[in-house]
Every structure is written in C-alpha cells, then in structure tokens.
Amino acid sequence: MKIPKLLFAVVGLFTSMHALAENTIYVTPYIGYTFSNNIRDENQLNIDIDNDVHYALGLETDFENGRVGLFISHQKNEASPFSDDGTLTYVHMQSALHYQLQHRLNSFIGASIGTTILDVDWSDSDLVFSAGIHGGMTYQLADNFAVVFEARWLANLIDSDTSTICTLPTGNETCNVSIDSEWLTQFQTNLGLTYSF
C-alpha cells in the first residue's frame, strides 16, 4: 500500500537528518477535530464532507529561532451523497517560529507544504498538492514534556479535471463526478503532548 511506504521513507529521511543535526527532537501525538468546506462538481452535485475527528503526529527539530519537521494527519472521510467512507492523510514538511511569552508559556506560527493522500470515492487522484498555515501555544509541564494547542488551515488543490464514477447510497444508482471546485479547505483544532529528547 502507498501510505505505509511513503510514511516509512519520510520518517527514515527525518531520522537521518536528525542524526546529522544532533539537535533536540520533538515528538507530538495529536488528537483533533477537522472542519471541512463543501466542494461541488460541474453538474452542481454538492459533495458534503463531514466534520470529523482526526489523529496526527508531529516530528520536529530545532532550527535557528524555531523548528522544522514533519506533520502527518489522518482522518476518516464521510461525504454525502456517497455510500463508502474514505480517508485523507496529510504528509507535510513544516517550519515554525517560536516565541516565549512567559516562563513556561510559548507561542508559535508556521507554514507547511506537502501532499494529501486521497482514498475517497469522489476522486480518482491518489495524491494532491496541499499546503497550510498553523499557530498555537505550548505550555511546558516538565523539562521534556509540553502540552500543545494549535489551529491549522489546510488547502488541497483539487484538479478540476478530476472525475470518477461513484455509487449512491440509494441503491444501485451510479453518478459521474467531475470536480469543478479548485480547492478543498479544512480547518483543524489540535491538542497534543510533546516529548522532547
């Protein structure tokens, strides 16, 4: 399957970069909620993507006044009027600047760029270009642990030539979807726990 191979390659690359850099590594598992906009096909069929829970992982290292690293986010994708569920997986390289507000409280703002792995009925494309911006706050619980709250805006470039044949939930009806929208945007709220070493 494409997802495990891609993730293995990216994590291997990141680990190699860390070995060369010898900087602190920050590992942050997240849980969050995704809010999606709707997209429309050229026949005016409205594809209504449900808001849903997602899981994410951040792997970062220090770089000058901030951090650089990898962000991976995986979510279920239920979209009306389709009968089958799918998934969206973001794989982004990211960087962020960090600012100390108080003794244990920091804020950050950053950007990310990469790809989204699509496993959905409404698109035949497996990979689409995506990018985002994010910001939030961290509170240092101990030397190696911090709580993170962040918000992310993510944009996926949906090719206007994308088309697929789908099955509607009303029975054996089929539909022909040709995406007219240029962008699928999503907004995430994330709560995470960072372990540094």
Side-chain angles (χ1 to χ4, degrees):
M1 179 113 186
K2 295 176 185 172
I3 294 175
K5 289 180 183 177
L6 181 62
L7 296 181
F8 180 75
V10 171
V11 170
L13 175 65
F14 186 78
T15 304
S16 300
M17 288 169 38
H18 169 63
L20 294 173
E22 295 184 3
N23 288 338
T24 302
I25 286 282
Y26 302 89
V27 179
T28 309
Y30 297 96
I31 187 168
Y33 202 78
T34 301
F35 303 89
S36 299
N37 74 323
N38 296 338
I39 53 178
R40 188 178 298 273
D41 84 343
E42 63 185 18
N43 300 314
Q44 301 305 306
L45 174 68
N46 193 46
I47 301 171
D48 184 13
I49 300 172
D50 289 352
N51 302 331
D52 211 339
V53 172
H54 67 265
Y55 303 95
L57 178 68
L59 299 171
E60 297 176 297
T61 190
D62 292 320
F63 183 74
E64 295 185 1
N65 294 331
R67 296 179 190 166
V68 296
L70 175 70
F71 175 76
I72 302 168
S73 174
H74 180 75
Q75 67 190 64
K76 288 184 179 178
N77 174 250
E78 297 179 12
S80 302
F82 304 103
S83 56
D84 294 333
D85 297 341
T87 61
L88 273 73
T89 303
Y90 290 96
V91 181
H92 279 199
M93 295 303 292
Q94 69 179 9
S95 64
L97 294 174
H98 286 248
Y99 306 95
Q100 186 168 4
L101 301 177
Q102 293 180 1
H103 174 57
R104 292 183 175 270
L105 187 65
N106 293 298
S107 66
F108 60 90
I109 186 165
S112 65
I113 189 169
T115 190
T116 305
I117 303 167
L118 298 177
D119 182 14
V120 293
D121 281 351
W122 45 265
S123 176
D124 282 337
S125 297
D126 292 333
L127 300 172
V128 296
F129 170 80
S130 56
I133 56 174
H134 61 281
M137 303 185 82
T138 63
Y139 184 79
Q140 203 72 33
L141 297 173
D143 288 345
N144 292 50
F145 289 98
V147 174
V148 182
F149 174 76
E150 71 170 31
R152 282 181 185 262
W153 176 79
L154 297 159
N156 299 273
L157 180 58
I158 304 296
D159 187 351
S160 59
D161 294 331
T162 297
S163 62
T164 189
I165 296 174
C166 57
T167 303
L168 295 175
T170 55
N172 293 330
E173 291 181 70
T174 60
C175 58
N176 196 4
V177 176
S178 184
I179 301 297
D180 188 31
S181 301
E182 292 275 330
W183 295 94
L184 165 64
T185 59
Q186 295 190 309
F187 180 77
Q188 292 185 345
T189 55
N190 293 325
L191 180 64
L193 180 65
T194 298
Y195 171 68
S196 58
F197 58 93

